[in-house]
Amino acid sequence: MAYATNTTIAALAERIRSAKRVLVTTHQKPDGDAMGSVLAVVRAARAVGVAAEGWLVGPCEGNLLSFAGDDPVVLVEPRNPTMPHGAFDLAVVVDTGAWAQLEILAPWLRAMAPNVVGLDHHARGDEVASERVVEVRRGSCTALLVDLVDALGVPLSHGGDARGRGSIAEALYLGLATDTGWFRFSNARAAEFALAARLVEAGVDKDAMYQLIEQSSSAARVKLQGCALSSLAFVRDGSIAVMRLTTADFEATGASIEEGSGIVNMPMEIALVRASVLAVEDAAAGVVKLSFRSKPAGPDGGFIDVNELAARFGGGGHVHAAGARLKGTLDEVVARVRAAVER
Ligand SMILES: [Mn+2]
């Protein structure tokens, strides 16, 4: 069966309303839209008197997790997973419909069929949910979920404190703002701006949210970005950026390894760059961690498959984001990467 809508929002609202205990989940490593989507469904279900819990498979950035507030959200550690226990009579899967993104909870969800429903805005997915609404034109999954909240008859301001924290509107805005790149991407259309207006009207503190999500780095992280950028080099006529971070860089800046995440994306600001590689030295473990990123297909339809590139170093991932770990010194590994992409 194609990954397409096979029911209505009204029918899904009725499934939630008539359930006793609902589990809401999303893809592993939740981003802003995944987190916002789970929180919006949990808050709306609880507002109509249905017990609901959010189950997230980490890792999950602390700033995102802080949006959960007092809501019942379980963070599953992939290395030591807790599985759902007790009697749930409905599972709602949001912002994904792909088994590959649900790995740890997949066996539990398979056992729950046919009591799994889905709401998503991605083009591809599997038979995870027996009943689902899939609308790829929505700028975020939360831009679809607002229809579910409306169908349940819950006001968007529900659950919020005086500053709008903890409301359904806040959860919807979290997904809408992050998935549209704060309304810069092409998926921010008239409907997304109209929804933003509704959410701000419902009490969302958009400036506080922007600061919490986009302006909350440590000074150490920004200094570490400086170290990486000062090592910036190019291969293949400037189309591939290569950066490196040494153990000494981490010591000098005081940044943790986790604070290095995302730095690989910085060279993507450069027009000519199609892919970026960051090599991070872990002297204690005697390995170098490689992160690969590439841009989606350009006007000519061409793109660099970094999954294939990472596979040459025993790693893997996705077409536009992948990683690998290699033994050796930083110089050796960077030389090998440069040689591999040169070809
Ligand atoms: Mn999304």
Side-chain angles (χ1 to χ4, degrees):
M1 212 197 300
Y3 187 64
T5 297
N6 63 5
T7 186
T8 62
I9 289 284
L12 293 186
E14 200 39 52
R15 292 283 310 253
I16 290 172
R17 197 184 277 285
S18 58
K20 286 192 176 61
R21 190 167 170 230
V22 180
L23 181 147
V24 188
T25 193
T26 184
H27 58 80
Q28 297 185 175
K29 296 188 193 170
D31 57 6
D33 192 27
M35 174 61 92
S37 295
V38 167
L39 291 177
V41 177
V42 167
R43 287 171 186 174
R46 286 161 58 85
V48 295
V50 174
E53 290 168 31
W55 279 67
L56 303 168
V57 179
C60 181
E61 286 167 33
N63 282 347
L64 279 185
L65 213 48
S66 75
F67 282 93
D70 297 332
D71 285 305
V73 169
V74 179
L75 182 64
V76 178
E77 283 296 330
R79 282 173 196 208
N80 183 20
T82 332
M83 294 301 275
H85 36 83
F88 287 95
D89 54 354
L90 183 69
V92 182
V93 179
V94 287
D95 200 35
T96 184
W99 287 123
Q101 292 196 300
L102 292 160
E103 251 177 288
I104 287 175
L105 290 180
W108 185 86
L109 287 167
R110 285 183 197 274
M112 275 292 285
N115 294 316
V116 181
V117 299
L119 296 109
D120 191 16
H121 70 138
H122 292 95
R124 279 185 215 120
D126 307 310
E127 290 295 311
V128 173
S130 56
E131 285 182 76
R132 56 187 176 253
V133 172
V134 182
E135 295 199 7
V136 294
R137 246 190 104 76
R138 307 282 184 147
S140 65
C141 186
T142 62
L144 170 61
L145 291 175
V146 68
D147 291 359
L148 180 73
V149 178
D150 287 342
L152 286 166
V154 183
L156 298 181
S157 59
H158 182 89
D161 65 14
R163 302 189 58 219
R165 294 227 66 182
S167 69
I168 291 175
E170 177 194 56
L172 296 175
Y173 191 86
L174 175 61
L176 182 66
T178 55
D179 255 24
T180 60
W182 299 90
F183 307 97
R184 288 174 298 132
F185 300 160
S186 59
N187 63 351
R189 303 179 192 94
E192 283 70 30
F193 284 98
L195 175 57
R198 264 190 88 188
L199 298 176
V200 172
E201 205 111 276
V204 166
D205 187 342
K206 66 178 180 60
D207 302 330
M209 288 183 69
Y210 186 80
Q211 284 190 30
L212 198 54
I213 297 163
E214 302 296 332
Q215 298 178 324
S216 58
S217 288
S218 64
R221 181 187 151 84
V222 176
K223 286 187 198 164
L224 191 69
Q225 290 176 332
C227 295
L229 287 177
S230 69
S231 77
L232 181 60
F234 299 100
V235 193
R236 289 252 291 259
D237 303 323
S239 65
I240 299 178
V242 181
M243 299 189 300
R244 50 161 75 195
L245 283 171
T246 64
T247 302
D249 291 331
F250 285 92
E251 282 167 3
T253 58
S256 65
I257 287 281
E258 293 75 44
E259 285 175 309
S261 81
I263 289 180
V264 63
N265 293 307
M266 298 190 75
M268 302 295 227
E269 290 175 26
I270 302 165
L272 273 182
V273 166
R274 302 302 307 166
S276 172
V277 188
L278 174 66
V280 177
E281 179 184 39
D282 186 346
V287 295
V288 175
K289 286 202 289 187
L290 293 172
S291 300
F292 302 87
R293 295 289 185 278
S294 66
K295 286 180 183 169
D300 63 348
F303 64 91
I304 295 170
D305 182 349
V306 292
N307 182 36
E308 187 268 327
L309 190 56
R312 291 196 228 163
F313 300 100
H318 304 279
V319 176
H320 297 301
R325 282 166 74 92
L326 264 80
K327 283 212 162 73
T329 68
L330 189 59
D331 285 341
E332 286 165 8
V333 171
V334 169
R336 281 182 62 189
V337 170
R338 291 182 65 113
V341 297
E342 211 59 90
R343 275 185 271 122

